[in-house]
C-alpha cells in the first residue's frame, strides 16, 4: 500500500482499510464521475459552477507548447508572458538594480495580502528559506490588527523597503487598510508621495483601482478570474516567493506542481496518489466518523504548512449544499490542524494516542536535511517513524505486564493502536518537492469535493461576516449616536466597546 510520483513516496498502509476497501472506493469515485470531472477541470470547463468559471490553476504551471483553453483563448502564452515579467522584476530586486526613492537598493520585501494572497507565499518563503537570497528579508502582513504591520516594519527603513500589495479585486478591506497604512508609513519617512512609485507594486486584476491607490500600473502584475485565491501561490501572488528564491528556483517549484498534475491526470485511480489520498480522507470522514485531519510536518521549514492547508481544504470543501443547491446528506470537509512534528509530540500527541476521538494524521518527512546535520536529522526522522508505528500498533496490556509495569498502571498506559495515518516521504525539501506536495493536496481536495458533489472552488460562506463587519465599522466610526439594529448581544458588545474605547481616547 504505497505509491510513488513526482518525487514523493506515499505510504498509506497504516489506515483502517484493505485492498477490497480501496477497490470499492475507486468504484465509488468512478460512479461519482471523478475521471470526467478531472478532465473537465484540466480542459478549462467552468467547473466552478456557482460563479460559472473555470478553475485553471493547473495552467499556471503548464510548460510552453501545452495548450489550455479558457473561454476560447489559449491561456498558456499569457501565463508565460507574466512569468517573464515577474522574473525580470525579481532579478532587478535581487541584484540591486531596482532602487528605492533615495537611490538605495531594496533589502526588505513586505507582502501585504490575506487568505490566498498571504498563506501560500508566506508558507513557501519559509519552507524554501535555504534557497533564498541571503541579503533580502521577506515579511508578510495579513491581519487587519495594526500590530501586524507595526511588527513587520519595526526597525526597517522605508528607503530600503518594497511593498507588494496582493488583492485580485483591490477591494479586500483588510488588505487595502494595511496597504494605506503602509503607504502612510513610507511617505512619512521619505517625505514625498512620489516615493510610492519606487516602493509599491501590485498583484491584482483591477488596473484602475491600483492606479487610484497611487501604484504605477507598469508595476502591476495581473491575475485571472480562473485562478482562485487559495490556488494562486504559483501565480503572480508568488512574486514575493520568486524574489526570495529566484526565477530559476520558482520554475523548479512550478515543475513540481506540473509533475503531480500529470500524474493526477494520467495515473489509474488505484495507483493515483492524490486520488488515493482523497479517497482515504472520505473513508476516514464518512465511514469511520473522523472529524479532523492532523498535518504533521517533521520539518521546521514547513511549520506554516498546516495553516496553508487549513484554507485549501476547509475553504474549498467546507460546504453544506451540493453543486445543485441540495443539502449534503453527509459530513464534508475535515477540520485541518497541526504543528511541526516534535513540537506536537509534547503538546497534543497524547490525544492522538489515547484520546477518545479518532484523528487521522498525515506525517511528512525528508530523507536528507538542508542543514548538513545528518545525525540530528536522523533523530527527527526516528521520531516520525516511531509515532506512526505507535499510532498504528499501540501497546497492549499484556505487553505492559510482560515488561513489568505495575498492575495499577496498566489501564492508564495501554495504547489501543489502530489509529490511521499516512506518511509522505521525499528525498529533500526543495522547490520541486514543495510544488509536488502542494499539488498533491490540491488534487486530493478536488477528489473529495467530487465524491461529495460540492463546488470546491467557491467560498460564499466568507462573505456574510465581511458585509456585517463593514456595517459595524461604520457604526463604530459614527460614535454613540449611531443607531444599531443587531441582536441584543451584538448591540451590547458594541456599546461596551464604544464606552471603553472612547474612554481611552481611541474613538471620537
Amino acid at each position: 500500500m504505497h505509491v510513488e510520483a513526482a518525487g514523493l513516496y506515499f505510504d498509506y498502509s497504516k489506515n483502517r482499510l484493505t485492498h477490497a476497501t480501496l477497490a470499492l472506493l475507486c468504484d465509488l469515485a468512478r460512479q461519482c464521475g471523478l475521471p470526467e470531472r478531472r478532465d473537465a477541470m484540466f480542459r478549462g470547463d467552468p467547473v466552478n459552477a456557482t460563479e460559472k468559471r473555470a478553475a485553471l490553476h493547473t495552467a499556471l504551471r503548464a510548460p510552453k507548447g501545452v495548450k489550455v483553453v479558457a473561454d476560447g483563448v489559449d491561456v498558456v502564452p499569457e501565463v508565460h508572458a507574466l512569468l517573464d515579467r515577474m522574473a525580470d522584476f525579481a532579478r532587478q530586486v535581487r541584484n540591486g538594480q531596482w532602487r528605492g526613492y533615495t537611490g538605495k537598493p531594496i533589502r526588505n520585501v513586505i507582502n501585504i495580502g490575506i487568505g490566498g494572497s498571504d498563506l501560500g507565499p508566506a508558507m513557501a518563503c519559509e519552507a524554501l528559506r535555504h534557497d533564498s537570497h541571503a541579503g533580502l528579508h521577506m515579511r508578510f502582513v495579513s491581519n487587519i490588527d495594526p500590530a501586524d504591520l507595526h511588527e513587520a516594519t519595526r526597525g526597517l527603513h522605508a528607503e530600503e523597503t518594497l511593498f507588494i500589495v496582493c488583492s485580485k479585486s483591490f477591494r479586500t478591506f483588510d488588505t487595502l487598510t494595511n496597504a494605506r497604512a503602509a503607504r502612510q508609513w513610507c511617505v512619512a519617512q521619505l517625505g514625498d508621495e512620489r516615493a510610492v512609485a519606487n516602493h509599491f507594486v501590485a498583484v491584482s486584476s483591477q488596473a484602475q483601482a491600483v492606479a487610484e491607490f497611487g501604484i504605477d500600473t507598469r508595476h502591476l502584475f495581473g491575475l485571472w478570474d480562473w485562478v482562485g485565491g487559495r490556488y494562486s501561490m504559483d501565480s503572480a501572488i508568488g512574486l514575493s516567493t520568486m524574489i526570495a528564491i529566484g526565477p530559476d528556483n520558482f520554475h523548479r517549484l512550478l515543475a513540481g506542481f506540473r509533475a503531480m498534475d500529470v500524474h493526477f491526470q494520467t495515473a489509474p485511480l488505484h495507483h493515483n496518489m492524490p486520488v488515493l489520498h482523497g479517497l482515504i480522507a472520505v473513508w476516514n470522514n464518512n465511514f469511520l466518523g473522523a472529524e479532523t485531519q492532523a498535518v504533521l510536518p517533521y520539518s521546521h521549514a514547513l511549520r506554516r504548512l498546516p495553516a496553508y492547508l487549513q484554507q485549501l481544504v476547509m475553504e474549498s470543501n467546507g460546504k453544506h449544499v451540493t453543486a445543485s443547491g441540495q443539502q449534503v446528506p453527509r459530513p464534508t470537509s475535515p477540520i485541518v490542524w497541526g504543528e511541526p512534528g516534535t513540537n506536537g509530540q509534547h503538546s497534543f500527541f497524547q490525544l492522538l494516542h489515547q484520546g477518545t476521538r479518532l484523528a487521522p494524521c498525515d506525517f511528512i518527512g525528508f530523507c536528507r536535511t538542508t542543514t548538513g546535520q545528518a545525525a540530528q536529522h536522523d533523530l527527527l526522522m526516528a521520531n516520525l517513524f516511531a509515532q506512526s508505528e505507535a499510532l498504528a500498533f499501540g501497546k497492549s496490556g499484556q505487553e505492559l505486564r510482560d515488561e513489568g509495569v505495575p498492575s495499577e498502571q496498566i489501564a492508564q498506559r495501554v495504547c489501543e493502536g489502530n489509529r490511521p495515518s499516512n506518511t509522505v516521504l521525499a528525498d529533500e525539501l526543495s522547490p520541486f518537492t514543495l510544488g509536488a506536495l502542494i499539488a498533491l493536496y490540491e488534487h486530493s481536495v478536488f477528489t473529495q469535493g467530487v465524491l461529495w458533489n460540492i463546488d470546491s472552488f467557491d467560498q460564499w460562506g466568507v462573505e456574510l461576516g465581511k458585509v456585517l463587519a463593514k456595517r459595524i465599522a461604520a457604526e463604530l466610526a459614527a460614535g454613540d449616536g449611531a443607531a444599531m439594529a443587531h441582536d441584543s448581544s451584538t448591540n451590547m458588545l458594541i456599546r461596551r466597546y464604544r464606552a471603553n474605547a472612547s474612554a481611552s481616547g481611541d474613538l471620537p
Side-chain angles (χ1 to χ4, degrees):
M1 288 190 174
H2 71 272
V3 63
E4 294 186 62
L8 303 182
Y9 178 92
F10 178 53
D11 176 347
Y12 55 94
S13 61
K14 295 186 177 76
N15 280 285
R16 295 184 186 176
L17 44 76
T18 67
H19 290 293
T21 313
L22 287 172
L24 290 167
L25 287 169
C26 287
D27 285 344
L28 175 61
R30 292 185 191 94
Q31 292 177 38
C32 292
L34 176 60
E36 294 81 9
R37 292 282 297 277
R38 175 192 60 193
D39 293 345
M41 180 183 71
F42 277 94
R43 206 167 45 232
D45 292 1
V47 293
N48 181 346
T50 63
E51 296 177 296
K52 297 180 174 58
R53 293 175 180 170
L56 272 180
H57 44 286
T58 54
L60 298 171
R61 50 262 197 168
K64 291 180 180 178
V66 172
K67 190 172 183 178
V68 181
V69 176
D71 296 325
V73 177
D74 181 5
V75 301
V76 175
E78 298 178 22
V79 168
H80 281 274
L82 179 60
L83 286 170
D84 290 343
R85 284 191 59 226
M86 291 168 59
D88 181 63
F89 180 76
R91 290 189 187 99
Q92 289 183 49
V93 175
R94 287 169 62 85
N95 65 24
Q97 186 179 346
W98 180 276
R99 300 278 173 162
Y101 185 64
T102 65
K104 289 192 173 184
I106 298 299
R107 300 187 184 280
N108 314 296
V109 179
I110 300 179
N111 188 92
I112 299 178
I114 199 165
S117 299
D118 168 78
L119 289 165
M123 178 273 296
C125 284
E126 192 66 46
L128 301 176
R129 184 174 289 188
H130 177 76
D131 298 284
S132 296
H133 191 296
L136 288 171
H137 305 285
M138 314 301 297
R139 301 188 182 188
F140 294 85
V141 172
S142 58
N143 199 324
I144 200 171
D145 185 341
D148 196 6
L149 179 65
H150 178 75
E151 289 301 317
T153 55
R154 182 196 292 268
L156 303 187
H157 299 290
E159 59 186 351
E160 299 176 331
T161 302
L162 173 72
F163 293 93
I164 304 174
V165 184
C166 297
S167 172
K168 181 190 285 189
S169 66
F170 226 74
R171 294 193 305 269
T172 309
F173 184 70
D174 319 66
T175 300
L176 267 292
T177 299
N178 278 324
R180 293 186 189 103
R183 184 175 62 185
Q184 291 173 359
W185 174 85
C186 185
V187 172
Q189 283 199 27
L190 299 177
D192 194 333
E193 284 281 349
R194 292 176 296 179
V196 171
N198 297 76
H199 295 273
F200 283 79
V201 300
V203 178
S204 179
S205 63
Q206 301 299 319
Q208 182 176 344
V210 168
E212 290 171 355
F213 181 88
I215 296 175
D216 191 329
T217 53
R218 292 177 299 173
H219 308 148
L220 167 64
F221 299 88
L223 292 169
W224 297 276
D225 284 342
W226 41 260
V227 180
R230 56 193 175 276
Y231 296 90
S232 67
M233 63 172 282
D234 47 351
S235 72
I237 292 295
L239 182 60
S240 57
T241 308
M242 185 183 281
I243 292 171
I245 66 176
D248 291 344
N249 276 325
F250 193 83
H251 279 281
R252 293 184 184 101
L253 176 75
L254 297 180
F257 274 102
R258 176 65 180 175
M260 187 58 73
D261 290 346
V262 171
H263 170 74
F264 176 58
Q265 195 173 14
T266 60
L269 298 188
H270 61 287
H271 289 306
N272 192 307
M273 189 182 298
V275 170
L276 290 169
H277 188 276
L279 293 179
I280 290 168
V282 170
W283 173 252
N284 288 333
N285 190 337
N286 295 130
F287 293 86
L288 301 186
E291 297 180 340
T292 77
Q293 174 69 51
V295 177
L296 309 169
Y298 276 67
S299 166
H300 184 68
L302 285 180
R303 60 187 176 275
R304 294 289 296 160
L305 180 65
Y308 171 78
L309 293 178
Q310 284 172 344
Q311 186 198 22
L312 177 64
V313 176
M314 294 194 286
E315 191 167 279
S316 295
N317 287 343
K319 312 289 170 62
H320 69 277
V321 296
T322 66
S324 60
Q326 305 301 310
Q327 189 73 28
V328 179
R330 60 192 60 84
T332 56
S333 175
I335 298 167
V336 176
W337 57 288
E339 284 285 332
T342 54
N343 292 1
Q345 288 176 200
H346 292 269
S347 59
F348 54 78
F349 271 50
Q350 168 63 37
L351 181 146
L352 296 180
H353 288 287
Q354 290 187 312
T356 58
R357 299 181 185 275
L358 184 68
C361 302
D362 276 3
F363 292 94
I364 301 168
F366 302 92
C367 297
R368 296 192 295 270
T369 176
T370 57
T371 67
Q373 296 172 293
Q376 189 164 340
H377 186 74
D378 287 348
L379 292 175
L380 172 72
M381 295 303 294
N383 276 273
L384 185 160
F385 301 139
Q387 292 296 331
S388 68
E389 182 181 20
L391 284 169
F393 301 106
K395 179 161 281 194
S396 67
Q398 186 58 54
E399 288 174 309
L400 291 166
R401 281 187 285 271
D402 292 344
E403 292 175 1
V405 173
S407 58
E408 63 271 18
Q409 294 181 9
I410 296 294
Q412 285 74 23
R413 295 177 66 168
V414 165
C415 292
E416 297 92 342
N418 202 26
R419 302 196 175 214
S421 71
N422 299 308
T423 299
V424 179
L425 197 61
D427 286 347
E428 62 183 356
L429 179 54
S430 66
F432 182 94
T433 301
L434 181 64
L437 182 65
I438 299 307
L440 163 63
Y441 279 98
E442 286 180 347
H443 299 317
S444 172
V445 165
F446 176 78
T447 297
Q448 295 168 57
V450 169
L451 266 68
W452 291 320
N453 191 27
I454 59 179
D455 188 340
S456 297
F457 300 108
D458 63 13
Q459 57 280 332
W460 297 107
V462 304
E463 298 300 321
L464 177 59
K466 291 181 181 180
V467 172
L468 292 174
K470 288 182 180 179
R471 183 169 132 199
I472 293 172
E475 293 167 353
L476 294 178
D480 291 336
M484 295 183 297
H486 305 281
D487 61 276
S488 59
S489 168
T490 304
N491 286 340
M492 181 57 71
L493 290 169
I494 292 172
R495 291 191 190 100
R496 184 172 181 85
Y497 175 80
R498 280 175 174 168
N500 287 279
S502 59
S504 65
D506 290 341
L507 281 177

